[in-house]
mmCIF file of all heavy atoms in Angstrom:
data_model
loop_
_atom_site.group_PDB
_atom_site.id
_atom_site.type_symbol
_atom_site.label_atom_id
_atom_site.label_comp_id
_atom_site.label_asym_id
_atom_site.label_seq_id
_atom_site.Cartn_x
_atom_site.Cartn_y
_atom_site.Cartn_z
ATOM 1 N N MET A 1 0.851 -1.196 -0.018
ATOM 2 C CA MET A 1 0.000 0.006 0.011
ATOM 3 C C MET A 1 0.828 1.243 -0.002
ATOM 4 O O MET A 1 0.457 2.287 -0.531
ATOM 5 C CB MET A 1 -0.915 -0.060 1.249
ATOM 6 C CG MET A 1 -1.994 -1.062 1.190
ATOM 7 S SD MET A 1 -2.943 -1.008 2.614
ATOM 8 C CE MET A 1 -3.666 0.545 2.593
ATOM 9 N N GLN A 2 2.034 1.214 0.555
ATOM 10 C CA GLN A 2 2.865 2.351 0.703
ATOM 11 C C GLN A 2 3.706 2.738 -0.553
ATOM 12 O O GLN A 2 4.463 3.641 -0.514
ATOM 13 C CB GLN A 2 3.748 2.254 1.934
ATOM 14 C CG GLN A 2 3.029 2.201 3.230
ATOM 15 C CD GLN A 2 2.224 3.419 3.544
ATOM 16 O OE1 GLN A 2 2.496 4.449 2.891
ATOM 17 N NE2 GLN A 2 1.300 3.322 4.460
ATOM 18 N N LYS A 3 3.453 1.953 -1.667
ATOM 19 C CA LYS A 3 4.292 2.197 -2.822
ATOM 20 C C LYS A 3 3.620 3.254 -3.783
ATOM 21 O O LYS A 3 4.064 3.475 -4.900
ATOM 22 C CB LYS A 3 4.497 0.919 -3.614
ATOM 23 C CG LYS A 3 5.432 -0.066 -2.905
ATOM 24 C CD LYS A 3 5.636 -1.307 -3.730
ATOM 25 C CE LYS A 3 6.549 -2.255 -3.025
ATOM 26 N NZ LYS A 3 6.823 -3.455 -3.834
ATOM 27 N N VAL A 4 2.535 3.856 -3.362
ATOM 28 C CA VAL A 4 1.841 4.760 -4.244
ATOM 29 C C VAL A 4 2.609 6.079 -4.447
ATOM 30 O O VAL A 4 2.973 6.622 -3.440
ATOM 31 C CB VAL A 4 0.357 5.020 -3.786
ATOM 32 C CG1 VAL A 4 -0.306 5.978 -4.642
ATOM 33 C CG2 VAL A 4 -0.376 3.760 -3.586
ATOM 34 N N ALA A 5 2.761 6.508 -5.608
ATOM 35 C CA ALA A 5 3.500 7.672 -5.895
ATOM 36 C C ALA A 5 2.542 8.920 -6.013
ATOM 37 O O ALA A 5 1.749 9.034 -6.841
ATOM 38 C CB ALA A 5 4.261 7.579 -7.229
ATOM 39 N N SER A 6 2.589 9.748 -4.987
ATOM 40 C CA SER A 6 1.747 10.967 -4.942
ATOM 41 C C SER A 6 2.557 11.945 -3.998
ATOM 42 O O SER A 6 3.393 11.590 -3.228
ATOM 43 C CB SER A 6 0.397 10.654 -4.346
ATOM 44 O OG SER A 6 0.488 10.276 -3.013
ATOM 45 N N PRO A 7 2.422 13.213 -4.252
ATOM 46 C CA PRO A 7 1.430 13.879 -5.131
ATOM 47 C C PRO A 7 1.890 13.856 -6.599
ATOM 48 O O PRO A 7 1.276 13.278 -7.459
ATOM 49 C CB PRO A 7 1.288 15.278 -4.642
ATOM 50 C CG PRO A 7 2.646 15.483 -3.970
ATOM 51 C CD PRO A 7 3.034 14.259 -3.356
ATOM 52 N N LEU A 8 2.997 14.567 -6.926
ATOM 53 C CA LEU A 8 3.568 14.551 -8.293
ATOM 54 C C LEU A 8 4.953 14.060 -8.320
ATOM 55 O O LEU A 8 5.728 14.202 -7.356
ATOM 56 C CB LEU A 8 3.593 15.995 -8.831
ATOM 57 C CG LEU A 8 2.212 16.722 -8.959
ATOM 58 C CD1 LEU A 8 2.424 18.094 -9.504
ATOM 59 C CD2 LEU A 8 1.284 15.961 -9.906
ATOM 60 N N ARG A 9 5.328 13.442 -9.432
ATOM 61 C CA ARG A 9 6.673 12.987 -9.522
ATOM 62 C C ARG A 9 7.259 13.608 -10.850
ATOM 63 O O ARG A 9 6.656 13.862 -11.788
ATOM 64 C CB ARG A 9 6.729 11.439 -9.670
ATOM 65 C CG ARG A 9 6.185 10.824 -8.470
ATOM 66 C CD ARG A 9 6.192 9.318 -8.573
ATOM 67 N NE ARG A 9 7.602 8.832 -8.713
ATOM 68 C CZ ARG A 9 7.943 7.676 -9.068
ATOM 69 N NH1 ARG A 9 6.978 6.842 -9.526
ATOM 70 N NH2 ARG A 9 9.166 7.296 -9.175
ATOM 71 N N THR A 10 8.557 13.844 -10.794
ATOM 72 C CA THR A 10 9.219 14.551 -11.854
ATOM 73 C C THR A 10 9.748 13.591 -12.885
ATOM 74 O O THR A 10 10.210 12.501 -12.548
ATOM 75 C CB THR A 10 10.491 15.362 -11.319
ATOM 76 O OG1 THR A 10 9.962 16.156 -10.215
ATOM 77 C CG2 THR A 10 11.077 16.182 -12.345
ATOM 78 N N LEU A 11 9.562 14.002 -14.135
ATOM 79 C CA LEU A 11 10.220 13.211 -15.190
ATOM 80 C C LEU A 11 11.108 14.168 -15.946
ATOM 81 O O LEU A 11 10.717 14.890 -16.856
ATOM 82 C CB LEU A 11 9.082 12.709 -16.232
ATOM 83 C CG LEU A 11 8.214 11.633 -15.604
ATOM 84 C CD1 LEU A 11 7.097 11.353 -16.583
ATOM 85 C CD2 LEU A 11 9.032 10.382 -15.315
ATOM 86 N N ILE A 12 12.361 14.163 -15.572
ATOM 87 C CA ILE A 12 13.341 14.939 -16.261
ATOM 88 C C ILE A 12 14.141 13.950 -17.180
ATOM 89 O O ILE A 12 15.072 13.343 -16.690
ATOM 90 C CB ILE A 12 14.236 15.756 -15.342
ATOM 91 C CG1 ILE A 12 13.461 16.556 -14.367
ATOM 92 C CG2 ILE A 12 15.275 16.649 -16.042
ATOM 93 C CD1 ILE A 12 14.284 17.255 -13.302
ATOM 94 N N GLN A 13 13.726 13.826 -18.418
ATOM 95 C CA GLN A 13 14.197 12.771 -19.268
ATOM 96 C C GLN A 13 15.362 13.367 -20.088
ATOM 97 O O GLN A 13 15.279 13.791 -21.186
ATOM 98 C CB GLN A 13 13.070 12.282 -20.194
ATOM 99 C CG GLN A 13 11.965 11.670 -19.385
ATOM 100 C CD GLN A 13 10.785 11.386 -20.260
ATOM 101 O OE1 GLN A 13 10.662 11.909 -21.418
ATOM 102 N NE2 GLN A 13 9.817 10.534 -19.830
ATOM 103 N N SER A 14 16.569 13.315 -19.408
ATOM 104 C CA SER A 14 17.711 13.864 -20.108
ATOM 105 C C SER A 14 19.025 13.304 -19.488
ATOM 106 O O SER A 14 18.993 12.745 -18.392
ATOM 107 C CB SER A 14 17.724 15.409 -19.899
ATOM 108 O OG SER A 14 17.876 15.769 -18.547
ATOM 109 N N GLU A 15 20.041 13.492 -20.232
ATOM 110 C CA GLU A 15 21.351 13.242 -19.664
ATOM 111 C C GLU A 15 21.763 14.527 -18.911
ATOM 112 O O GLU A 15 21.482 15.661 -19.364
ATOM 113 C CB GLU A 15 22.451 13.030 -20.789
ATOM 114 C CG GLU A 15 22.231 11.681 -21.563
ATOM 115 C CD GLU A 15 22.663 10.492 -20.607
ATOM 116 O OE1 GLU A 15 23.346 10.725 -19.684
ATOM 117 O OE2 GLU A 15 22.206 9.386 -20.915
ATOM 118 N N THR A 16 22.298 14.355 -17.752
ATOM 119 C CA THR A 16 22.660 15.523 -16.962
ATOM 120 C C THR A 16 24.133 15.850 -17.085
ATOM 121 O O THR A 16 24.965 14.963 -17.110
ATOM 122 C CB THR A 16 22.312 15.410 -15.476
ATOM 123 O OG1 THR A 16 23.088 14.303 -15.034
ATOM 124 C CG2 THR A 16 20.854 15.056 -15.337
ATOM 125 N N GLN A 17 24.469 17.175 -17.168
ATOM 126 C CA GLN A 17 25.887 17.580 -17.185
ATOM 127 C C GLN A 17 26.380 17.627 -15.772
ATOM 128 O O GLN A 17 27.601 17.480 -15.552
ATOM 129 C CB GLN A 17 25.979 18.978 -17.840
ATOM 130 C CG GLN A 17 25.665 18.933 -19.304
ATOM 131 C CD GLN A 17 26.655 18.187 -20.037
ATOM 132 O OE1 GLN A 17 27.896 18.217 -19.959
ATOM 133 N NE2 GLN A 17 26.102 17.216 -20.872
ATOM 134 N N GLY A 18 25.525 17.820 -14.755
ATOM 135 C CA GLY A 18 25.924 17.846 -13.411
ATOM 136 C C GLY A 18 25.278 16.790 -12.616
ATOM 137 O O GLY A 18 25.209 15.619 -12.934
ATOM 138 N N ARG A 19 24.702 17.223 -11.395
ATOM 139 C CA ARG A 19 24.091 16.269 -10.563
ATOM 140 C C ARG A 19 22.664 16.613 -10.331
ATOM 141 O O ARG A 19 22.298 17.747 -10.409
ATOM 142 C CB ARG A 19 24.751 16.280 -9.222
ATOM 143 C CG ARG A 19 26.290 15.882 -9.346
ATOM 144 C CD ARG A 19 27.094 16.132 -8.162
ATOM 145 N NE ARG A 19 28.474 15.645 -8.174
ATOM 146 C CZ ARG A 19 29.408 15.928 -7.296
ATOM 147 N NH1 ARG A 19 29.142 16.660 -6.297
ATOM 148 N NH2 ARG A 19 30.649 15.399 -7.411
ATOM 149 N N PRO A 20 21.783 15.629 -10.059
ATOM 150 C CA PRO A 20 20.374 16.033 -9.673
ATOM 151 C C PRO A 20 20.326 16.741 -8.328
ATOM 152 O O PRO A 20 20.854 16.287 -7.356
ATOM 153 C CB PRO A 20 19.701 14.635 -9.606
ATOM 154 C CG PRO A 20 20.841 13.725 -9.110
ATOM 155 C CD PRO A 20 22.133 14.207 -9.785
ATOM 156 N N VAL A 21 19.774 17.891 -8.360
ATOM 157 C CA VAL A 21 19.671 18.703 -7.222
ATOM 158 C C VAL A 21 18.234 19.141 -6.959
ATOM 159 O O VAL A 21 17.525 19.597 -7.915
ATOM 160 C CB VAL A 21 20.540 19.940 -7.277
ATOM 161 C CG1 VAL A 21 20.556 20.795 -6.033
ATOM 162 C CG2 VAL A 21 22.022 19.480 -7.567
ATOM 163 N N LEU A 22 17.793 19.148 -5.675
ATOM 164 C CA LEU A 22 16.440 19.709 -5.444
ATOM 165 C C LEU A 22 16.552 21.142 -5.017
ATOM 166 O O LEU A 22 17.541 21.574 -4.448
ATOM 167 C CB LEU A 22 15.911 18.868 -4.191
ATOM 168 C CG LEU A 22 15.847 17.303 -4.324
ATOM 169 C CD1 LEU A 22 15.242 16.712 -3.156
ATOM 170 C CD2 LEU A 22 15.207 16.973 -5.612
ATOM 171 N N ASP A 23 15.557 21.865 -5.324
ATOM 172 C CA ASP A 23 15.495 23.295 -5.035
ATOM 173 C C ASP A 23 15.489 23.533 -3.593
ATOM 174 O O ASP A 23 14.898 22.861 -2.772
ATOM 175 C CB ASP A 23 14.239 23.924 -5.720
ATOM 176 C CG ASP A 23 14.366 25.398 -5.750
ATOM 177 O OD1 ASP A 23 14.002 26.000 -4.707
ATOM 178 O OD2 ASP A 23 14.625 25.978 -6.768
ATOM 179 N N GLU A 24 16.224 24.585 -3.150
ATOM 180 C CA GLU A 24 16.299 24.889 -1.639
ATOM 181 C C GLU A 24 14.919 25.348 -1.080
ATOM 182 O O GLU A 24 14.765 25.335 0.151
ATOM 183 C CB GLU A 24 17.382 25.970 -1.378
ATOM 184 C CG GLU A 24 17.052 27.267 -1.939
ATOM 185 C CD GLU A 24 17.687 27.569 -3.369
ATOM 186 O OE1 GLU A 24 17.917 26.555 -3.990
ATOM 187 O OE2 GLU A 24 17.985 28.679 -3.717
ATOM 188 N N ASP A 25 14.040 25.738 -1.844
ATOM 189 C CA ASP A 25 12.731 26.156 -1.428
ATOM 190 C C ASP A 25 11.744 24.954 -1.169
ATOM 191 O O ASP A 25 10.587 25.171 -0.778
ATOM 192 C CB ASP A 25 12.023 27.155 -2.369
ATOM 193 C CG ASP A 25 12.776 28.475 -2.468
ATOM 194 O OD1 ASP A 25 13.343 28.802 -1.422
ATOM 195 O OD2 ASP A 25 12.781 29.119 -3.535
ATOM 196 N N GLY A 26 12.227 23.802 -1.361
ATOM 197 C CA GLY A 26 11.360 22.592 -1.173
ATOM 198 C C GLY A 26 11.506 21.643 -2.368
ATOM 199 O O GLY A 26 12.515 21.722 -3.093
ATOM 200 N N LEU A 27 10.459 20.896 -2.595
ATOM 201 C CA LEU A 27 10.624 19.962 -3.740
ATOM 202 C C LEU A 27 9.989 20.552 -4.965
ATOM 203 O O LEU A 27 8.832 20.368 -5.323
ATOM 204 C CB LEU A 27 9.899 18.633 -3.310
ATOM 205 C CG LEU A 27 10.619 17.898 -2.138
ATOM 206 C CD1 LEU A 27 9.704 16.707 -1.822
ATOM 207 C CD2 LEU A 27 11.951 17.611 -2.458
ATOM 208 N N PHE A 28 10.719 21.441 -5.578
ATOM 209 C CA PHE A 28 10.137 22.142 -6.783
ATOM 210 C C PHE A 28 10.971 21.720 -7.935
ATOM 211 O O PHE A 28 12.197 21.843 -8.039
ATOM 212 C CB PHE A 28 10.361 23.689 -6.580
ATOM 213 C CG PHE A 28 9.733 24.484 -7.716
ATOM 214 C CD1 PHE A 28 8.405 24.835 -7.672
ATOM 215 C CD2 PHE A 28 10.438 24.759 -8.775
ATOM 216 C CE1 PHE A 28 7.821 25.506 -8.742
ATOM 217 C CE2 PHE A 28 9.886 25.425 -9.903
ATOM 218 C CZ PHE A 28 8.590 25.808 -9.836
ATOM 219 N N PHE A 29 10.292 21.231 -8.967
ATOM 220 C CA PHE A 29 10.924 20.876 -10.244
ATOM 221 C C PHE A 29 10.204 21.622 -11.353
ATOM 222 O O PHE A 29 9.134 22.038 -11.121
ATOM 223 C CB PHE A 29 10.791 19.321 -10.464
ATOM 224 C CG PHE A 29 11.480 18.503 -9.520
ATOM 225 C CD1 PHE A 29 10.813 18.073 -8.356
ATOM 226 C CD2 PHE A 29 12.792 18.002 -9.811
ATOM 227 C CE1 PHE A 29 11.473 17.303 -7.425
ATOM 228 C CE2 PHE A 29 13.480 17.242 -8.819
ATOM 229 C CZ PHE A 29 12.766 16.825 -7.704
ATOM 230 N N GLY A 30 10.824 21.680 -12.393
ATOM 231 C CA GLY A 30 10.086 22.395 -13.590
ATOM 232 C C GLY A 30 11.117 23.206 -14.350
ATOM 233 O O GLY A 30 12.333 22.958 -14.234
ATOM 234 N N THR A 31 10.670 24.172 -15.101
ATOM 235 C CA THR A 31 11.529 24.960 -15.881
ATOM 236 C C THR A 31 11.328 26.444 -15.701
ATOM 237 O O THR A 31 11.489 27.264 -16.591
ATOM 238 C CB THR A 31 11.378 24.608 -17.390
ATOM 239 O OG1 THR A 31 9.974 24.731 -17.692
ATOM 240 C CG2 THR A 31 11.868 23.235 -17.689
ATOM 241 N N SER A 32 10.772 26.822 -14.559
ATOM 242 C CA SER A 32 10.674 28.219 -14.207
ATOM 243 C C SER A 32 11.976 28.735 -13.732
ATOM 244 O O SER A 32 13.025 28.085 -13.698
ATOM 245 C CB SER A 32 9.654 28.457 -13.140
ATOM 246 O OG SER A 32 10.142 28.149 -11.881
ATOM 247 N N SER A 33 12.065 30.111 -13.372
ATOM 248 C CA SER A 33 13.350 30.641 -12.993
ATOM 249 C C SER A 33 13.902 30.037 -11.681
ATOM 250 O O SER A 33 15.094 30.155 -11.444
ATOM 251 C CB SER A 33 13.223 32.164 -12.827
ATOM 252 O OG SER A 33 12.202 32.434 -11.864
ATOM 253 N N ARG A 34 13.028 29.346 -10.956
ATOM 254 C CA ARG A 34 13.429 28.772 -9.647
ATOM 255 C C ARG A 34 13.803 27.313 -9.830
ATOM 256 O O ARG A 34 14.182 26.656 -8.833
ATOM 257 C CB ARG A 34 12.331 28.845 -8.668
ATOM 258 C CG ARG A 34 11.891 30.236 -8.240
ATOM 259 C CD ARG A 34 11.067 30.202 -6.909
ATOM 260 N NE ARG A 34 9.921 29.270 -7.131
ATOM 261 C CZ ARG A 34 9.473 28.518 -6.143
ATOM 262 N NH1 ARG A 34 10.125 28.372 -4.939
ATOM 263 N NH2 ARG A 34 8.402 27.691 -6.315
ATOM 264 N N SER A 35 13.737 26.794 -11.009
ATOM 265 C CA SER A 35 13.865 25.328 -11.139
ATOM 266 C C SER A 35 15.252 24.824 -11.180
ATOM 267 O O SER A 35 16.236 25.537 -11.423
ATOM 268 C CB SER A 35 13.105 24.878 -12.396
ATOM 269 O OG SER A 35 13.916 25.114 -13.519
ATOM 270 N N VAL A 36 15.347 23.549 -10.901
ATOM 271 C CA VAL A 36 16.713 22.858 -10.904
ATOM 272 C C VAL A 36 17.269 22.897 -12.351
ATOM 273 O O VAL A 36 18.406 22.911 -12.566
ATOM 274 C CB VAL A 36 16.655 21.440 -10.411
ATOM 275 C CG1 VAL A 36 16.262 21.466 -8.962
ATOM 276 C CG2 VAL A 36 15.641 20.605 -11.187
ATOM 277 N N CYS A 37 16.379 22.905 -13.343
ATOM 278 C CA CYS A 37 16.854 22.787 -14.759
ATOM 279 C C CYS A 37 17.618 23.975 -15.071
ATOM 280 O O CYS A 37 18.687 24.000 -15.672
ATOM 281 C CB CYS A 37 15.653 22.632 -15.677
ATOM 282 S SG CYS A 37 14.807 21.071 -15.514
ATOM 283 N N SER A 38 17.127 25.172 -14.728
ATOM 284 C CA SER A 38 17.854 26.438 -15.085
ATOM 285 C C SER A 38 19.053 26.662 -14.229
ATOM 286 O O SER A 38 20.065 27.243 -14.599
ATOM 287 C CB SER A 38 16.858 27.630 -14.872
ATOM 288 O OG SER A 38 16.435 27.728 -13.632
ATOM 289 N N LYS A 39 19.091 26.137 -12.917
ATOM 290 C CA LYS A 39 20.235 26.291 -11.979
ATOM 291 C C LYS A 39 21.329 25.359 -12.279
ATOM 292 O O LYS A 39 22.520 25.682 -12.023
ATOM 293 C CB LYS A 39 19.742 26.121 -10.590
ATOM 294 C CG LYS A 39 18.902 27.267 -10.100
ATOM 295 C CD LYS A 39 18.586 27.119 -8.609
ATOM 296 C CE LYS A 39 17.769 28.316 -8.070
ATOM 297 N NZ LYS A 39 17.485 28.101 -6.624
ATOM 298 N N PHE A 40 21.034 24.067 -12.712
ATOM 299 C CA PHE A 40 22.060 23.053 -12.717
ATOM 300 C C PHE A 40 22.252 22.454 -14.010
ATOM 301 O O PHE A 40 22.782 21.332 -14.031
ATOM 302 C CB PHE A 40 21.738 22.057 -11.549
ATOM 303 C CG PHE A 40 21.727 22.692 -10.203
ATOM 304 C CD1 PHE A 40 20.460 22.994 -9.611
ATOM 305 C CD2 PHE A 40 22.905 22.929 -9.582
ATOM 306 C CE1 PHE A 40 20.452 23.574 -8.389
ATOM 307 C CE2 PHE A 40 22.862 23.548 -8.295
ATOM 308 C CZ PHE A 40 21.636 23.916 -7.665
ATOM 309 N N GLY A 41 21.858 23.051 -15.079
ATOM 310 C CA GLY A 41 22.365 22.662 -16.375
ATOM 311 C C GLY A 41 21.808 21.412 -17.013
ATOM 312 O O GLY A 41 22.516 20.696 -17.750
ATOM 313 N N PHE A 42 20.519 21.008 -16.817
ATOM 314 C CA PHE A 42 19.929 20.010 -17.535
ATOM 315 C C PHE A 42 19.853 20.413 -18.985
ATOM 316 O O PHE A 42 19.455 21.533 -19.273
ATOM 317 C CB PHE A 42 18.562 19.656 -16.940
ATOM 318 C CG PHE A 42 18.518 18.896 -15.655
ATOM 319 C CD1 PHE A 42 18.180 19.570 -14.545
ATOM 320 C CD2 PHE A 42 19.043 17.635 -15.551
ATOM 321 C CE1 PHE A 42 18.240 18.972 -13.242
ATOM 322 C CE2 PHE A 42 19.088 16.988 -14.334
ATOM 323 C CZ PHE A 42 18.651 17.680 -13.124
ATOM 324 N N LYS A 43 20.115 19.490 -19.879
ATOM 325 C CA LYS A 43 20.102 19.831 -21.331
ATOM 326 C C LYS A 43 18.689 19.904 -21.892
ATOM 327 O O LYS A 43 18.445 20.565 -22.770
ATOM 328 C CB LYS A 43 21.004 18.855 -22.105
ATOM 329 C CG LYS A 43 22.473 18.976 -21.767
ATOM 330 C CD LYS A 43 23.246 18.113 -22.774
ATOM 331 C CE LYS A 43 22.944 16.687 -22.751
ATOM 332 N NZ LYS A 43 23.776 15.849 -23.532
ATOM 333 N N ALA A 44 17.860 18.923 -21.513
ATOM 334 C CA ALA A 44 16.570 18.770 -22.099
ATOM 335 C C ALA A 44 15.605 18.372 -20.980
ATOM 336 O O ALA A 44 16.011 17.754 -20.062
ATOM 337 C CB ALA A 44 16.463 17.899 -23.207
ATOM 338 N N TYR A 45 14.315 18.745 -21.082
ATOM 339 C CA TYR A 45 13.497 18.512 -19.916
ATOM 340 C C TYR A 45 12.019 18.597 -20.294
ATOM 341 O O TYR A 45 11.672 19.173 -21.287
ATOM 342 C CB TYR A 45 13.749 19.504 -18.769
ATOM 343 C CG TYR A 45 14.038 20.911 -19.221
ATOM 344 C CD1 TYR A 45 13.014 21.790 -19.662
ATOM 345 C CD2 TYR A 45 15.360 21.377 -19.384
ATOM 346 C CE1 TYR A 45 13.268 22.986 -20.180
ATOM 347 C CE2 TYR A 45 15.564 22.612 -19.846
ATOM 348 C CZ TYR A 45 14.557 23.395 -20.242
ATOM 349 O OH TYR A 45 14.811 24.705 -20.724
ATOM 350 N N ASP A 46 11.147 18.016 -19.458
ATOM 351 C CA ASP A 46 9.746 18.329 -19.437
ATOM 352 C C ASP A 46 9.526 19.022 -18.191
ATOM 353 O O ASP A 46 10.280 18.891 -17.198
ATOM 354 C CB ASP A 46 8.919 16.992 -19.414
ATOM 355 C CG ASP A 46 8.925 16.347 -20.820
ATOM 356 O OD1 ASP A 46 9.027 17.078 -21.755
ATOM 357 O OD2 ASP A 46 8.865 15.151 -20.826
ATOM 358 N N ALA A 47 8.459 19.838 -18.091
ATOM 359 C CA ALA A 47 8.144 20.648 -16.881
ATOM 360 C C ALA A 47 7.276 19.925 -16.003
ATOM 361 O O ALA A 47 6.122 19.698 -16.304
ATOM 362 C CB ALA A 47 7.557 21.965 -17.290
ATOM 363 N N PHE A 48 7.792 19.534 -14.834
ATOM 364 C CA PHE A 48 6.939 18.967 -13.771
ATOM 365 C C PHE A 48 7.230 19.656 -12.443
ATOM 366 O O PHE A 48 8.349 20.259 -12.278
ATOM 367 C CB PHE A 48 7.245 17.461 -13.652
ATOM 368 C CG PHE A 48 6.590 16.598 -14.655
ATOM 369 C CD1 PHE A 48 6.979 16.603 -16.007
ATOM 370 C CD2 PHE A 48 5.469 15.824 -14.291
ATOM 371 C CE1 PHE A 48 6.392 15.821 -16.894
ATOM 372 C CE2 PHE A 48 4.860 15.027 -15.194
ATOM 373 C CZ PHE A 48 5.292 15.045 -16.509
#
């Protein structure tokens, strides 16, 4: 029962130039100005 994935999960489907990093403001993923993609150099991404 505890294997359910909620609320949202990120799909950043890319090779990374650096390391996967979570935003210091919490668990924020996506491609806004606050996102890990813009801060840490993901090459390609979907916004979640």
Side-chain angles (χ1 to χ4, degrees):
M1 293 176 63
Q2 295 296 344
K3 293 184 180 180
V4 179
S6 66
L8 296 179
R9 300 178 63 196
T10 306
L11 291 173
I12 305 175
Q13 299 172 342
S14 63
E15 292 288 338
T16 62
Q17 293 297 309
R19 297 168 176 172
V21 181
L22 306 185
D23 193 277
E24 65 266 25
D25 292 330
L27 298 179
F28 183 92
F29 297 86
T31 54
S32 79
S33 58
R34 295 197 305 140
S35 76
V36 296
C37 293
S38 60
K39 287 184 177 181
F40 299 101
F42 289 108
K43 291 191 299 185
Y45 40 75
D46 287 329
F48 280 75

